[in-house]
Amino acid sequence: MRIIIRYFFRTLRLILTPIVLLIEKLTTPKGQSRSDEAQQQVDEACKSLALYQFAACPFCVKVRKEIARLNLNIELRDAKNNEQHRQELLDGGGRVKVPCLRIEQNDKVQWMYESDDINQYLQQRFA
């Protein structure tokens, strides 16, 4: 019975992954417009941020849409297919849970989980 359940969910994931990615592509908002100077400042601030994520995770999609809406150049790190990024997430954040925003400020690193918390932080800092 266990193997049937496992294969059911694997099949479900195989079917839903392209659908989730297509919906993300079609519904991602246009980026916020800024002057070149302001965008350079935002890009510089984004160098201290990295988002650990899975491609088809709905909560990661939610954060990536907010990143696109705010026109942020945040490095995306795939914690599912890249073993190095997965290990960094486990070592630094303490668990492999996505989405997770790595925030580096004043030689301190903060690991922020939960899509709503990440989106709120990004809105407060960049909106």
Side-chain angles (χ1 to χ4, degrees), residues 77-90:
R77 297 182 179 176
D78 187 354
K80 184 175 185 178
N81 298 317
N82 186 315
E83 191 58 41
Q84 179 184 354
H85 291 158
R86 184 182 189 89
Q87 193 61 44
E88 288 172 6
L89 181 58
L90 181 61

Side-chain angles (χ1 to χ4, degrees), residues 41-101:
Q41 290 175 345
V42 167
D43 290 344
E44 191 62 35
C46 287
K47 288 182 180 179
S48 65
L49 304 174
L51 180 70
Y52 290 82
Q53 48 98 36
F54 296 164
C57 165
F59 299 105
C60 298
V61 169
K62 182 178 175 180
V63 173
R64 289 195 305 260
K65 282 184 175 185
E66 187 64 21
I67 288 171
R69 190 184 72 73
L70 293 171
N71 198 14
L72 305 175
N73 293 319
I74 295 176
E75 180 184 358
L76 302 178
R77 297 182 179 176
D78 187 354
K80 184 175 185 178
N81 298 317
N82 186 315
E83 191 58 41
Q84 179 184 354
H85 291 158
R86 184 182 189 89
Q87 193 61 44
E88 288 172 6
L89 181 58
L90 181 61
D91 294 342
R95 56 189 170 173
V96 179
K97 180 182 171 190
V98 293
C100 180
L101 185 66

Side-chain angles (χ1 to χ4, degrees), residues 1-2 9 12 19 58 64 71-73 89 92 110 119:
M1 186 65 171
R2 217 180 232 184
F9 282 108
L12 188 62
I19 294 170
R64 289 195 305 260
N71 198 14
L72 305 175
N73 293 319
L89 181 58
Q110 177 186 355
N119 284 347

Side-chain angles (χ1 to χ4, degrees), residues 63 99-101 112-122:
V63 173
C100 180
L101 185 66
M112 182 179 291
Y113 292 95
E114 301 301 327
S115 58
D116 289 334
D117 293 341
I118 294 169
N119 284 347
Q120 184 179 21
Y121 170 81
L122 295 175

